[in-house]
Amino acid sequence: MLAPRTLSLLLSASLLGFSGLTLPAEPPPHPHHPPPQPGLNGSDGALSADLPVALRVFSVDYHHVQAPFEIVLWIMLASLAKLGFHWSGRVPAVVPESCLLIMVGLLVGGVIYGVRHSAPPTLSAEAFFLFLLPPIVLDAGYFLPGRLFFENLGTILWYAVLGTLWNVLGIGLSLHGVCLLASASLGDVSLLHCLLFGSLIAAVDPVAVLSVFQEVRVNEQLHILVFGESLLNDAVTVVLYKLFESFLRLPSVSGLDVLLGGCRVLAVGLGGLCVGLFFGLVAALTSRFTSRAPVIAPLFVFLYSYLSYLTSEMLHLSGITAIVTCAVTMKQYVEANVSEHSNISIQYFLKMWSSVSETLIFIFLGVSTIQDIHMWSWPFVFSTLLLCLVWRASGVLLLTAVVNKLRRNAVTFRDQFIIAYGGLRGAICFSLVFLIDDFPKKRLFITTTIVVILFTVFVQGMTIKPLVELLDVKRKKRALPTVSEEIHSRLIDHLLAGIEDVVGYWGQHYWKDKFEQFNRKYLRRFLIREDHQAPSSILRVYQELERREQRGDEEAPPVDPRRHGRPLLPEEMDSIRRILSRNLQRFSNKQTPAYSRHALHQDAAVERPRRPLHSHQSLGEPCTHHTVTHRPQQAEDREFSGAHRVRAGLSRSHTGKARRHVGVNEKSRAYNSFSLSSHSINCWFRYYRYISIFSRPLTFDAHLVSPVSLQCAP
């Protein structure tokens, strides 16, 4: 009985990192007077007749449940504050949720400080990084919009890596200049201390960014750029923080140490990526064998994800990168293996876990502000606040000017302003500042960090929504995409992959198509059990949209019934009916045949002699002629499929290209002659395969396609 109780108290005490919570120590027995046994006489062990022992009916033992009881009270307080926020009328439209939770924490911390006349309990850095941060990052990675994230991955890495280095070095070097100017009060702050402080103050918190941008509901591209940058920014800042911390413990820093530090940054990032990929594949493989025990299927999602984070921290790798990679890797395979009930359980548990962690973080940010350890310096505090804004804005402008030359969809100036303005600080930098080794100006660093957090969360967080409306930034679509939109989007992806294959350009769509082929041929067959293999890609699209719709219904804002129009009056209905009948009558009087998407107009299908397409001799190639012929169709059956029209358009485009290449003056010969190498012919039929596969289920049946034969004449 003692071991479970002790383990529970240790886990509960470390979860919130209370400084005042310790296990109750039992008083040692007196060496000369052992405790008498109840009901026995101390002299001879006989029953005592003159000292009867009464049975207690009611007793209180608070120390037995102190740690878990206080944890439950803190969670209950945070949940009630969040519940009251959503029932507070117009307050959610003006004040972000994170601001209200910090204000509740300030109020609770002030009450505790006034009653106890001592500092309230604080959130330890170990408890934050080991217990509260992983569920938030796991939730963000598991429900990450994969298509948007990987399409903008280059821009996100550009902002997260180079932008973070820009901010860290700019803020650190500038603060060192401020310390040199104010040497009377800040002369004992070294360059490495300034760089260490710059690495932690440059950490953009994904918790604060998510809580604000989900309420603002900006467009998908802007949201993924800000959120992805803040998510990967944390991994970079934590690595840089540990690097500068190692430099501070060295007697001297040489050029070799700086080179080894750069290699360490790459090793930490790539190592976390490999660890997350390994545990993600193992989690997907394990979920394949959970059909006979579906109850524990959701448990593997949490265990493997958390295990990847702990393993990375144990190996001094990037735990944030590991858990995000693990979540993104295993998502599609786990969702295909487990049942719908398990998917719903995973969804709700992740949302609940991350919401509780986020609420506790903001509550303790406010509670931890009420401390006796503050040190104030006007030059340092206001210089830090100003430098954070200036260096982030300049970094976004410069990096976006470079990346816009490589992007098809340029990042507009309005989006750049929101990206620069959305750099909110939060619990990441607050937890890192407490990990700094003791030195005379540590309290000044803590005070400055709290001021920057409160300014960014309150001022920037409360004004970002009016700025989005003032700048008329594009908002997020409230309606989820339909099956038809998703299928056509994937069709366009395959067409672009085919075009890149034809022109010989290895671009984004080319590598995406290669990965999809590898995933379909090997990974899905190995990681998804056979009875859950979707028979077609369209069915997989439908299942994915169903799951997305279930998640979207929970996150969609309530519909205002006042926005619906009033019912039409009877006279208005009669007027609409007369207009429609009159227009339909005029349309029916026109002598135009009916239109069908499967059949062309009779005049357009007049028999014309179709000349074969002969391959013109290319320079430096042997004389070969390739003829493409079509089977003649009956006069009464003039149905053309979507693939015929696409191939005809492509033939004309190749013909126009051949006309410019060969320089033939005759129009008929230029129309029928073109030059293709053997590689282009192979690419052509691969392109035709993309078209036929993804057009057949949508526009025509298999028996409508007329056969195509390739005849080669010497």
Side-chain angles (χ1 to χ4, degrees), residues 676-695:
L676 287 175
S677 63
S678 59
H679 174 71
S680 300
I681 293 176
N682 294 332
C683 294
W684 166 267
F685 283 100
R686 291 174 68 183
Y687 188 25
Y688 165 72
R689 177 171 56 86
Y690 292 140
I691 298 170
S692 60
I693 290 175
F694 286 91
S695 299

Side-chain angles (χ1 to χ4, degrees), residues 335-351:
E335 286 185 344
N337 282 326
V338 302
S339 62
E340 285 298 325
H341 295 288
S342 298
N343 279 323
I344 294 174
S345 301
I346 294 171
Q347 171 192 344
Y348 277 94
F349 188 82
L350 281 179
K351 293 295 182 183

Side-chain angles (χ1 to χ4, degrees), residues 262-565:
C263 296
R264 179 181 176 181
V265 170
L266 293 177
V268 166
L270 294 178
L273 184 69
C274 294
V275 170
L277 186 64
F278 171 76
F279 279 99
L281 293 176
V282 173
L285 183 62
T286 307
S287 65
R288 180 177 181 177
F289 304 100
T290 57
S291 57
R292 298 187 179 181
V295 178
I296 63 173
L299 186 62
F300 290 109
V301 175
F302 315 124
L303 292 181
Y304 280 112
S305 302
Y306 194 48
L307 191 59
S308 67
Y309 184 85
L310 295 179
T311 304
S312 298
E313 292 293 325
M314 178 182 64
L315 300 175
H316 297 284
L317 302 176
S318 176
I320 297 176
T321 305
I323 195 170
V324 171
T325 307
C326 179
V328 173
T329 302
M330 69 178 175
K331 178 187 177 182
Q332 60 170 323
Y333 309 111
V334 169
E335 286 185 344
N337 282 326
V338 302
S339 62
E340 285 298 325
H341 295 288
S342 298
N343 279 323
I344 294 174
S345 301
I346 294 171
Q347 171 192 344
Y348 277 94
F349 188 82
L350 281 179
K351 293 295 182 183
M352 180 200 68
W353 196 11
S354 63
S355 178
V356 171
S357 300
E358 174 186 336
T359 306
L360 287 174
I361 287 172
F362 285 119
I363 287 285
F364 273 94
L365 273 178
V367 171
S368 303
T369 305
I370 311 298
Q371 297 288 337
D372 294 329
I373 59 176
H374 296 298
M375 178 186 293
W376 188 262
S377 174
W378 287 97
F380 191 84
V381 172
F382 282 96
S383 298
T384 303
L385 190 59
L386 181 62
L387 290 172
C388 288
L389 298 175
V390 171
W391 282 104
R392 179 167 178 85
S394 60
V396 169
L397 291 176
L398 292 177
L399 294 176
T400 308
V402 177
V403 80
N404 274 343
K405 297 180 179 180
L406 306 175
R407 287 177 58 92
R408 290 190 301 271
N409 299 324
V411 182
T412 63
F413 180 75
R414 298 176 181 178
D415 291 347
Q416 295 177 41
F417 180 80
I418 298 300
I419 292 173
Y421 200 76
L424 307 180
R425 273 65 173 181
I428 297 286
C429 53
F430 184 78
S431 300
L432 288 175
V433 75
F434 279 96
L435 293 178
I436 299 177
D437 296 334
D438 290 333
F439 79 106
K441 289 298 186 292
K442 179 180 179 179
R443 295 191 300 166
L444 177 60
F445 283 5
I446 294 175
T447 303
T448 307
T449 304
I450 292 175
V451 172
V452 172
I453 291 173
L454 295 180
F455 178 84
T456 55
V457 173
F458 278 88
V459 178
Q460 295 180 218
M462 292 179 64
T463 56
I464 192 170
K465 188 173 182 179
L467 285 175
V468 167
E469 297 176 353
L470 179 64
L471 296 176
D472 195 17
V473 178
K474 185 179 178 182
R475 295 298 189 92
K476 181 181 179 181
K477 294 181 179 179
R478 296 181 179 268
L480 292 172
T482 61
V483 177
S484 177
E485 292 175 353
E486 189 69 22
I487 291 176
H488 281 80
S489 177
R490 297 195 177 194
L491 172 62
I492 292 174
D493 290 342
H494 281 268
L495 290 177
L496 292 175
I499 293 173
E500 289 181 355
D501 199 0
V502 167
V503 300
Y505 173 70
W506 291 356
Q508 172 187 351
H509 297 88
Y510 175 84
W511 291 112
K512 181 181 178 182
D513 183 71
K514 291 298 182 184
F515 174 75
E516 287 295 335
Q517 292 180 11
F518 178 78
N519 185 28
R520 183 176 63 255
K521 186 178 295 185
Y522 299 106
L523 294 181
R524 293 187 65 88
R525 291 183 180 180
F526 181 69
L527 298 177
I528 299 177
R529 57 177 184 261
E530 297 179 357
D531 56 337
H532 281 208
Q533 295 278 353
S536 66
S537 59
I538 297 180
L539 184 57
R540 287 201 303 268
V541 171
Y542 178 74
Q543 293 172 352
E544 180 183 348
L545 289 178
E546 270 193 335
R547 289 190 291 265
R548 197 184 305 176
E549 186 177 1
Q550 291 175 358
R551 294 196 298 264
D553 289 341
E554 299 295 331
E555 299 175 359
V559 180
D560 189 2
R562 295 173 294 181
R563 298 183 62 180
H564 294 284

